[in-house]
CSV table of all heavy atoms in Angstrom, one decimal:
chain,number,residue,atom,x,y,z
A,6,LEU,N,94.3,77.9,82.0
A,6,LEU,CA,93.2,77.0,81.8
A,6,LEU,C,91.9,77.5,82.5
A,6,LEU,O,92.0,78.1,83.6
A,6,LEU,CB,93.5,75.6,82.3
A,6,LEU,CG,94.7,74.9,81.5
A,6,LEU,CD1,94.9,73.5,82.1
A,6,LEU,CD2,94.5,74.9,80.0
A,7,CYS,N,90.8,77.4,81.9
A,7,CYS,CA,89.5,77.9,82.4
A,7,CYS,C,89.2,77.3,83.8
A,7,CYS,O,89.3,76.1,84.0
A,7,CYS,CB,88.4,77.5,81.4
A,7,CYS,SG,86.8,78.0,82.0
A,8,ARG,N,88.8,78.2,84.7
A,8,ARG,CA,88.5,77.7,86.1
A,8,ARG,C,87.2,76.9,86.1
A,8,ARG,O,86.9,76.2,87.0
A,8,ARG,CB,88.4,78.9,87.0
A,8,ARG,CG,89.7,79.7,87.2
A,8,ARG,CD,89.4,81.0,88.0
A,8,ARG,NE,90.6,81.7,88.2
A,8,ARG,CZ,91.1,82.6,87.4
A,8,ARG,NH1,90.6,82.7,86.2
A,8,ARG,NH2,92.2,83.3,87.7
A,9,VAL,N,86.4,77.1,85.0
A,9,VAL,CA,85.1,76.4,85.0
A,9,VAL,C,85.2,75.1,84.3
A,9,VAL,O,84.7,74.1,84.9
A,9,VAL,CB,84.0,77.3,84.3
A,9,VAL,CG1,82.7,76.6,84.3
A,9,VAL,CG2,83.9,78.7,85.0
A,10,CYS,N,85.8,75.0,83.1
A,10,CYS,CA,85.7,73.8,82.3
A,10,CYS,C,87.1,73.2,82.0
A,10,CYS,O,87.1,72.2,81.4
A,10,CYS,CB,84.9,74.1,81.1
A,10,CYS,SG,85.8,74.9,79.8
A,11,GLY,N,88.2,73.9,82.3
A,11,GLY,CA,89.5,73.4,82.0
A,11,GLY,C,89.9,73.7,80.5
A,11,GLY,O,91.0,73.3,80.1
A,12,GLY,N,89.1,74.4,79.8
A,12,GLY,CA,89.4,74.8,78.4
A,12,GLY,C,90.5,75.8,78.4
A,12,GLY,O,90.9,76.4,79.4
A,13,LEU,N,91.0,76.1,77.1
A,13,LEU,CA,92.1,77.1,77.0
A,13,LEU,C,91.5,78.5,77.1
A,13,LEU,O,90.5,78.9,76.4
A,13,LEU,CB,92.7,76.9,75.6
A,13,LEU,CG,94.1,77.6,75.4
A,13,LEU,CD1,95.1,77.2,76.4
A,13,LEU,CD2,94.5,77.5,74.0
A,14,VAL,N,92.1,79.4,77.9
A,14,VAL,CA,91.7,80.8,78.1
A,14,VAL,C,92.6,81.6,77.2
A,14,VAL,O,93.8,81.6,77.3
A,14,VAL,CB,91.8,81.2,79.5
A,14,VAL,CG1,91.5,82.7,79.7
A,14,VAL,CG2,90.8,80.4,80.4
A,47,VAL,N,89.3,84.9,77.7
A,47,VAL,CA,88.0,84.3,77.6
A,47,VAL,C,88.3,82.8,77.2
A,47,VAL,O,89.2,82.5,76.4
A,47,VAL,CB,87.2,85.0,76.5
A,47,VAL,CG1,87.8,84.9,75.1
A,47,VAL,CG2,85.7,84.5,76.5
A,48,CYS,N,87.4,81.9,77.8
A,48,CYS,CA,87.6,80.5,77.5
A,48,CYS,C,87.1,80.1,76.1
A,48,CYS,O,85.9,80.5,75.8
A,48,CYS,CB,86.9,79.7,78.6
A,48,CYS,SG,86.9,77.9,78.2
A,49,ALA,N,87.9,79.5,75.3
A,49,ALA,CA,87.5,79.1,74.0
A,49,ALA,C,86.4,78.0,74.0
A,49,ALA,O,85.7,77.9,73.0
A,49,ALA,CB,88.8,78.6,73.2
A,50,VAL,N,86.2,77.3,75.1
A,50,VAL,CA,85.3,76.2,75.1
A,50,VAL,C,83.9,76.7,75.7
A,50,VAL,O,82.9,76.5,75.1
A,50,VAL,CB,85.8,75.0,75.9
A,50,VAL,CG1,84.8,73.9,76.0
A,50,VAL,CG2,87.2,74.6,75.3
A,51,CYS,N,83.9,77.3,76.9
A,51,CYS,CA,82.7,77.6,77.6
A,51,CYS,C,82.3,79.1,77.6
A,51,CYS,O,81.3,79.5,78.1
A,51,CYS,CB,82.7,77.0,79.0
A,51,CYS,SG,83.6,78.0,80.2
A,52,SER,N,83.2,79.9,77.0
A,52,SER,CA,83.0,81.3,76.8
A,52,SER,C,83.1,82.2,78.1
A,52,SER,O,82.7,83.3,78.1
A,52,SER,CB,81.6,81.7,76.2
A,52,SER,OG,81.3,80.9,75.2
A,53,MET,N,83.5,81.6,79.2
A,53,MET,CA,83.6,82.4,80.4
A,53,MET,C,84.8,83.3,80.4
A,53,MET,O,86.0,82.9,80.2
A,53,MET,CB,83.7,81.5,81.6
A,53,MET,CG,83.7,82.2,83.0
A,53,MET,SD,82.2,83.1,83.3
A,53,MET,CE,81.2,81.8,84.0
A,55,GLN,N,87.4,85.7,82.2
A,55,GLN,CA,88.0,85.5,83.6
A,55,GLN,C,89.4,86.1,83.7
A,55,GLN,O,90.1,86.3,82.7
A,55,GLN,CB,88.0,84.0,84.0
A,55,GLN,CG,88.7,83.2,83.0
A,55,GLN,CD,88.4,81.7,83.1
A,55,GLN,OE1,88.9,81.0,84.0
A,55,GLN,NE2,87.5,81.2,82.3
A,234,ARG,N,76.8,72.1,83.5
A,234,ARG,CA,77.9,71.2,84.0
A,234,ARG,C,77.5,70.6,85.4
A,234,ARG,O,78.1,69.5,85.7
A,234,ARG,CB,79.2,71.9,84.2
A,234,ARG,CG,79.8,72.4,82.9
A,234,ARG,CD,81.1,73.1,83.2
A,234,ARG,NE,82.2,72.3,83.8
A,234,ARG,CZ,82.9,71.5,83.1
A,234,ARG,NH1,82.9,71.5,81.8
A,234,ARG,NH2,83.8,70.7,83.7
C,502,ZN,ZN1,85.7,77.2,80.1
Side-chain angles (χ1 to χ4, degrees):
L6 298 183
C7 175
R8 294 170 179 85
V9 179
C10 79
L13 192 64
V14 173
V47 64
C48 174
V50 179
C51 78
S52 314
M53 184 64 85
Q55 54 198 282
R234 290 179 68 82

